[in-house]
Amino acid sequence: MTQDYPSLQGMVCPVPLTHNERIVLGHGSGGKLMHDLITRHFLPYFDNPILQAGDDAGLLQFVFDGKNTLRLSFSTDSHVVTPLFFPGGDIGRLAVCGTVNDISMLGSQPLYLTAGFILEEGLEISVIERVLASMQAAATEAGVQIVAGDTKVVQKGKADQLYINTSGVGVLYPGVYISGANAQPGDIVILSGTIGDHGIAVLEARGELGFTSGVKSDVAPLNKIITDLLESGCRVHVLRDPTRGGLATTLNEIAHQSRICVFLDETSIPIKPEVMAACEMLGFDPLFIANEGKLVVIVHPDDAGRALEVMRANPYGEATRIIGRVQPEPGGRVLMKTVIGTTRVVETLSGELLPRIC
Ligand code: MG
């Protein structure tokens, strides 16, 4: 049974009637459940060409003086991570870096952020101060300013200490056209470093590892590494940060948007031994674990060597590696040559792995 929902363009979009369904934690996973929730229930109401592009930020274009075009990148992100503080970071650094990074993925320089805080009654002011100091440090590092904000307080028990929403805007570099839909057959897939660090660090802070891994979250602003890459003249086709849902989900999104196949080489994907050990103990696949300071770059094959050089020169890209290539078929798929030489299909994250990871 379906019902027609109006879209903003006056078109109608048939979606299944699912009013009896309820939100489950898996809807926040960044994987298939979240994708279904958005496409079936949110897009029919908010549908427009900017959202349909399906990138990390919306591309806003304004023509002025009849001939010049101003292109802005605009994004928003809410943060509900628990606990608030974890090895390598905290909710404040995450809230600034998350939005800075999403804005940057269109090939833009982030400039201004807003910050909205939901505070639970009883939260210690000293905790808020620690988070604000961390946000200030991250904003300074990224070269952005927080120019508007909001605070709301809810009764004890109606929220878990503190949630933060950040939104932000940046300006695209001239002549740069980057999107998840721009990967071309023959392109090279580059990753800026090890995967799974953030997810494992947060699990450890929750006391769910059962041992001390020593792993720190990778949460970091990626805008400077992107600036270096674009200024080097490399023909960058896709930029994306593999956050919730992990590297596997991010590459599936790109394969889908560009209608190409990403072919990975498992032996070239960098994973810290302690992250691998934690994943083996918990039965997790590191390909699905969240990262907060890693960058996937898909680049013209002739520019891959230069891109590696530029990225490795940045402190957040020292362990940059080529992890695969783009091929025409099968479109919309991610395949991986495994360590034992077989070829495996890498799927999108389907259920819930780690709730409230960011
Ligand atoms: Mg992103």
Side-chain angles (χ1 to χ4, degrees), residues 56 102 105 240-241 243:
D56 281 354
D102 279 343
M105 297 302 148
R240 194 154 290 183
D241 52 344
T243 53

Side-chain angles (χ1 to χ4, degrees), residues 294-344:
K294 291 293 154 19
L295 178 63
V296 171
V297 180
I298 300 186
V299 67
H300 189 286
D302 295 345
D303 295 343
R306 190 151 34 118
L308 275 183
E309 219 171 274
V310 169
M311 291 175 70
R312 284 176 181 163
N314 186 289
Y316 295 128
E318 285 168 357
T320 297
R321 300 273 292 270
I322 289 175
I323 59 164
R325 62 175 195 276
V326 175
Q327 58 183 44
E329 299 289 341
R333 281 286 190 192
V334 179
L335 302 178
M336 182 166 75
K337 187 176 178 204
T338 66
V339 284
I340 54 167
T342 56
T343 299
R344 160 193 161 190

